[in-house]
Amino acid sequence: MAEVDGGLRTVSASAVAEVVRAVSRGTEFDRAAAAHRFGDHPDLIDAFSDLSATLARWKQKDRERSALLESASELIRVRDTKKLLQKLVDRARTLIGCDIAYLSQYYPDTDDLRVQASRGAISAKLKELRVPPGVGLAGQVVHDRAAHWTSNYDLTRLPHERRVDSAVKAEHMESLLGVPMVVDGEVLGALFAANRYSHDFTTDEITLLSALADHASVVLKTARLMGDLAEAARASAEAEESAAAQAGTLRRLVEVEEHLTQLVLQGQGVSAVINVISEMLDATVLVVDSGRLDSPSFPDDDDFFEQITVASADIHTALKHSRETGRSVQVTGDSQLYVASVAAHRRQHSGLFVRFNDHPAAGDANIVAQAAQSLALIRMNDQARADAENRVRGELAVDIIAGTRDLSELEARSRTSSFSLSGPWRLMTIQGDIDSVDRIGVRLVRVEPRILLTQRSPGTTILIPSAVHRERPTLNALFEASGAFDNSLIVISDTDYERTQLRTAEDEMWSCIRILNSLGIRQGVHLIEDFAPYTAMFGTAPEQVVTFMDRVLDPLRRWDRHHSAELLSTLREYFESGLNIRRTARQMSVHVNTVKQRLERADLVLGEEWRAPEQAFRLQVALRLDKLKSP
């Protein structure tokens, strides 16, 4: 109640207390009602209004502090970075009371900003927005590391960009506030508040958004640190796991190497190595010698490759690469097929093929290479022993053929070996390239260790004890069927020679080879007995064979060439038919009179003396040599 005092109404303390209690409880101060009640005291009304505004600001500050404390508490509890950033954006929109709030992360590699969380947006363009460096208000915030704002975005003089302007227009943004997110001098992004109307942002709004931006900075920095820690932990775990795996693989390789080394030291053979790695690698294993590797039919002729669809060229390429590197190589086209070169001889390279039943484990390729090296050592040991034996074979063969040393002395030298020095012998001479001759010698010794052989300048001479030949009558057939004689010229004897006959017999066999060479014959297997007349005639001068043939047969060749006749072939068939005209006609499928006419023309060409015994013998020899020379 108000009382009048000297023209002024007094105000009761209870009325003032009532207004104060109402304002303190948050009741909105009604200035019009207060003017009616306290109209004579405008200062009191102003004081009530200031008190109401102050209390409202305090309550707003209290709400903001509570929100920031809650946000700080969430920084500790929440581990989901995206969810926490979204909460910060939501809280910024609520506290500031703006239409749109969004947060953009800064990517230093591309120097651009990309929206990570937003609230209040009505189009998809804002969520997909990427702000290029230096563009718009966002670019200015990052560049200056300070807050920037505008009450009308369209009127700003900042650099504009089409896609950014399109996103702003899609949201109808007019006023925009942006504050940087900075930790330890590093810009992590920016937090924005925007309205779809013109608005002058207050200091309190800028301060509040900056505080929330600091919280967002902590979130991103923590997330980055946690990510780095997680990556470091993962890398450490992977490194530890890899180190353990490598250590296990290394132990396995050492064990395998020790095992294979023991096999070599114990004098075990190729089969022992194959069995070990076949069981250890759970694989099928095959060793192929150089002769088969070079065969045109390889690998189609081997059951090992029956279920494998790889090209022969890829196999040989892998073998070549293995020879060059000393490692095993996966064959192109099959991830479970590996090959390693077994270089056990200066000219010959075998191949180790391993077909895994499952995908090979770490280190298995190295085991294949180790096995190849062990096989090479075994082959080298075998080769060394074979070379030592072959040297003895060669020395014994030379001495036996030369007849310069007593047989008892030779037997004493061969006592520790299985060589047979008791005659008689069959002879074999081989002419061919070095690889072919070596391969034949190795095969012969492997099949029959009692033989002797010695290197000669044209090739190799081999002494086969007649007793061995009688025990193994299929020896020649065995080698002919194996293909060991391919690309070589072989002359063999069907006669038993005593020691005193060996030197002459060997000379005759090499004379036969030279005669065959003069006829252009460089391969095949021939009996020396079939060429005895020719070696007797031309043994000391094989180069005269062609001269002899030309002198005897050239008249017939010229006549046949100029008259399209067949005098040379007719005479050859006439001699082979035992000088029987009817049989000759029958063999040549012509009339008897035709044969008679051709023989009469031969009288004109050669003279009738060709029918005399001596001339006929020479003509027969020339015709047989010509037939031998013909393919």
Side-chain angles (χ1 to χ4, degrees), residues 288-308:
V288 181
D289 60 30
S290 57
R292 284 181 57 206
L293 287 176
D294 295 335
S295 171
S297 59
F298 180 80
D300 298 334
D301 60 349
D302 201 298
D303 295 339
F304 178 89
F305 296 94
E306 186 176 359
Q307 304 299 326
I308 301 175

Side-chain angles (χ1 to χ4, degrees), residues 3-10:
E3 298 179 357
V4 178
D5 184 11
L8 292 175
R9 289 190 302 169
T10 61

Side-chain angles (χ1 to χ4, degrees), residues 171-418:
E171 296 295 339
H172 303 288
M173 295 184 197
E174 190 166 342
S175 54
L176 181 63
L177 166 63
V179 293
M181 297 159 49
V182 182
V183 174
D184 296 331
E186 179 186 3
V187 177
L188 302 180
L191 183 62
F192 298 91
N195 291 305
R196 296 187 173 95
Y197 57 88
S198 180
H199 173 71
D200 291 323
F201 290 97
T202 65
T203 302
D204 289 343
E205 290 172 331
I206 297 171
T207 302
L208 177 59
L209 194 63
S210 297
L212 291 172
D214 290 341
H215 284 195
S217 300
V218 173
V219 172
L220 287 179
K221 187 68 174 181
T222 302
R224 181 180 296 179
L225 292 175
M226 293 298 291
D228 292 343
L229 288 174
E231 178 64 23
R234 184 191 63 78
S236 177
E238 287 183 354
E240 184 177 353
E241 183 179 351
S242 175
Q246 290 178 2
T249 300
L250 183 60
R251 283 195 301 271
R252 183 166 176 247
L253 291 175
V254 170
E255 291 173 359
V256 172
E257 185 175 7
E258 291 177 349
H259 195 169
L260 293 175
T261 301
Q262 286 299 317
L263 292 180
V264 175
L265 294 177
Q266 293 168 7
Q268 299 290 335
V270 173
S271 59
V273 175
I274 290 177
N275 291 337
V276 166
I277 61 174
S278 176
E279 180 178 353
M280 187 169 294
L281 298 179
D282 186 24
T284 306
V285 182
L286 175 69
V287 177
V288 181
D289 60 30
S290 57
R292 284 181 57 206
L293 287 176
D294 295 335
S295 171
S297 59
F298 180 80
D300 298 334
D301 60 349
D302 201 298
D303 295 339
F304 178 89
F305 296 94
E306 186 176 359
Q307 304 299 326
I308 301 175
T309 56
V310 293
S312 175
D314 291 334
I315 291 177
H316 287 287
T317 299
L319 271 171
K320 180 182 178 184
H321 186 56
S322 177
R323 279 199 298 270
E324 293 172 349
T325 61
R327 301 175 180 176
S328 65
V329 178
Q330 177 192 328
V331 179
T332 301
D334 192 327
S335 61
Q336 295 173 224
L337 177 62
Y338 279 70
V339 63
S341 174
V342 182
H345 191 276
R346 61 185 179 276
R347 291 184 299 273
Q348 296 179 357
H349 296 270
S350 302
L352 171 63
F353 293 87
V354 178
R355 184 179 63 200
F356 291 89
N357 295 325
D358 202 348
H359 292 292
D364 283 357
N366 291 334
I367 292 177
V368 174
Q370 286 180 345
Q373 293 172 5
S374 298
L375 288 173
L377 289 174
I378 291 173
R379 289 284 177 86
M380 289 173 66
N381 289 338
D382 293 343
Q383 186 66 46
R385 286 194 296 268
D387 288 345
E389 284 195 354
N390 285 339
R391 280 195 298 272
V392 177
R393 291 179 197 276
E395 292 170 358
L396 291 172
V398 169
D399 289 338
I400 288 175
I401 293 173
T404 56
R405 294 182 183 274
D406 189 77
L407 187 59
S408 60
E409 180 184 348
L410 301 182
E411 288 176 344
R413 289 169 54 191
S414 65
R415 189 169 299 157
T416 58
S417 302
S418 57

Side-chain angles (χ1 to χ4, degrees), residues 363-611:
D364 283 357
N366 291 334
I367 292 177
V368 174
Q370 286 180 345
Q373 293 172 5
S374 298
L375 288 173
L377 289 174
I378 291 173
R379 289 284 177 86
M380 289 173 66
N381 289 338
D382 293 343
Q383 186 66 46
R385 286 194 296 268
D387 288 345
E389 284 195 354
N390 285 339
R391 280 195 298 272
V392 177
R393 291 179 197 276
E395 292 170 358
L396 291 172
V398 169
D399 289 338
I400 288 175
I401 293 173
T404 56
R405 294 182 183 274
D406 189 77
L407 187 59
S408 60
E409 180 184 348
L410 301 182
E411 288 176 344
R413 289 169 54 191
S414 65
R415 189 169 299 157
T416 58
S417 302
S418 57
F419 309 139
S420 176
L421 303 183
S422 59
W425 288 272
R426 299 283 181 93
L427 286 179
M428 176 184 291
T429 51
I430 306 172
Q431 181 189 52
D433 60 75
I434 295 177
D435 286 343
S436 298
V437 172
D438 282 354
R439 186 165 59 248
I440 293 171
V442 170
R443 292 292 296 272
L444 282 168
V445 170
R446 189 181 305 161
V447 173
E448 180 47 69
R450 288 176 288 179
I451 68 172
L452 300 176
L453 53 85
T454 180
Q455 294 290 328
R456 298 299 196 194
S457 57
T460 298
T461 296
I462 298 172
L463 279 70
I464 305 174
S466 298
V468 171
H469 201 278
R470 285 192 295 272
E471 293 171 12
R472 309 191 62 164
T474 60
L475 191 62
N476 294 337
L478 172 66
F479 283 96
E480 290 176 2
S482 71
F485 290 167
D486 292 349
N487 302 320
S488 297
L489 179 59
I490 315 294
V491 173
I492 59 177
S493 68
D494 199 22
T495 303
D496 293 338
Y497 297 103
E498 297 297 334
R499 184 181 182 188
T500 56
Q501 300 172 304
L502 288 176
R503 173 179 286 184
T504 301
E506 185 192 26
D507 290 342
E508 289 180 354
M509 296 184 78
W510 283 112
S511 294
C512 182
I513 283 182
R514 287 191 290 271
I515 290 171
L516 293 173
N517 289 164
S518 69
L519 296 173
I521 299 172
R522 300 290 178 181
Q523 61 184 19
V525 181
H526 306 274
L527 278 171
I528 182 62
E529 288 77 9
D530 293 343
F531 296 88
Y534 313 128
T535 56
M537 294 174 64
F538 307 105
T540 58
E543 67 278 359
Q544 294 182 6
V545 173
V546 176
T547 302
F548 167 76
M549 291 170 57
D550 291 344
R551 185 173 65 251
V552 175
L553 301 180
D554 269 357
L556 295 172
R557 290 171 179 159
R558 285 194 297 271
W559 181 272
D560 286 345
R561 188 165 55 250
H562 293 144
H563 298 86
S564 299
E566 296 184 29
L567 296 187
L568 192 145
S569 59
T570 300
L571 286 176
R572 180 188 295 123
E573 192 60 46
Y574 177 62
F575 283 119
E576 291 181 357
S577 299
L579 306 182
N580 188 304
I581 294 177
R582 290 188 178 277
R583 191 181 303 162
T584 301
R586 187 165 56 251
Q587 290 295 329
M588 298 188 70
S589 300
V590 297
H591 196 273
V592 173
N593 291 336
T594 302
V595 175
K596 289 181 179 180
Q597 291 172 4
R598 291 177 180 175
L599 293 177
E600 290 173 357
R601 288 203 174 87
D603 292 340
L604 295 175
V605 175
L606 300 176
E608 292 184 4
E609 60 271 16
W610 73 267
R611 298 174 184 267

